[in-house]
Amino acid sequence: MSLPSNAIEPLSFREALGHYASGITVISSHVDGEAIGFTCQSFFSVSMNPPLVSFSVMSTSASYPKIRQAGRFAVNILSGEQVNISNQFARRGTDKWHGVDWQESPLGNPVIVGSLHWLDCEIHAEHAAGDHLIVIGEVKALKLQTAAARQPLLYFKGQYRNLAVLDAV
C-alpha cells in the first residue's frame, strides 16, 4: 500500500497537532544584564542519566540567540494560575518581564515566582530541524514547589485547559 504523495497542508498539520495536549513553560536566561524568556509548549524529557530535557524554538526567534550566548537556561513549568504570564512571554517586541516577579537560579537564570517547578540547565546540544531548533539541556539544579494542590497550565485545541481526574476503568 502506498501513501499519497500530496504535501501536508500546513493548517491541517497545525490542527492535527493541536489535538495533542501539552504543558506550558517559559524558557528563560540572563545575559549581559538582560533577562530573556519566551513561552514554549514543545518541552519534554530526554534522559534520566544524565538528566536531559529538550525544547524546540523557531529558528527566527529573537530570544534564543541570547540564550545560546548565555549557554544556559531555566525551564519554568507554569501553573494554571499563570495564563497571563504565558500570554505575556508569547508576545514579540514587548517587555516580557514587566511586572513579573522572579528570582535568580543557582546558574544565574531567572525563575518565575509562582511556577509549579523549575529546572536549571546548561545547553548540551542543538540540532536544526526544519524551521525550528531542537535544544537539549543538561539539568544542573531543580526546585520542586510544595503547593501540591496547584494544577499545571495546559494547552489543547488552541485554548488553555486544566486537568480532570478520570476514574480507572
Side-chain angles (χ1 to χ4, degrees):
M1 180 173 139
S2 64
L3 296 174
S5 63
N6 301 354
I8 301 295
E9 207 284 317
L11 290 177
S12 297
F13 185 59
R14 184 180 185 120
E15 182 179 342
L17 294 179
H19 283 77
Y20 182 74
S22 63
I24 302 289
T25 67
V26 168
I27 306 298
S28 62
S29 191
H30 201 262
V31 66
D32 296 332
E34 178 187 8
I36 302 136
F38 63 91
T39 300
C40 180
Q41 73 184 78
S42 59
F43 165 77
F44 56 95
S45 63
V46 174
S47 169
M48 294 296 287
N49 189 18
L52 301 176
V53 295
S54 181
F55 67 88
S56 296
V57 60
M58 290 285 294
S59 299
T60 58
S61 166
S63 301
Y64 183 67
K66 295 174 184 177
I67 294 171
R68 179 192 292 130
Q69 178 186 344
R72 57 183 162 63
F73 61 91
V75 179
N76 298 272
I77 301 171
L78 298 186
S79 73
E81 294 83 33
Q82 293 179 304
V83 169
N84 290 339
I85 298 277
S86 175
N87 288 335
Q88 187 164 324
F89 279 85
R91 293 187 196 105
R92 289 179 174 244
T94 62
D95 179 3
K96 296 179 182 184
W97 293 93
H98 178 74
V100 175
D101 291 331
W102 61 275
Q103 301 169 343
E104 194 169 286
S105 73
L107 292 180
N109 296 310
V111 291
I112 299 170
V113 172
S115 296
L116 285 180
H117 307 301
W118 56 260
L119 307 168
D120 214 12
C121 306
E122 290 180 350
I123 295 176
H124 177 78
E126 179 183 298
H127 304 282
D131 60 2
H132 276 67
L133 297 170
I134 300 169
V135 180
I136 298 173
E138 184 170 353
V139 179
K140 298 295 186 176
L142 58 84
K143 174 79 178 201
L144 302 175
Q145 304 301 344
T146 57
R150 293 179 41 211
Q151 296 284 319
L153 182 59
L154 301 177
Y155 200 72
F156 177 69
K157 294 174 68 176
Q159 295 181 345
Y160 293 110
R161 306 287 180 139
N162 56 26
L163 290 175
V165 178
L166 300 176
D167 292 328
V169 179

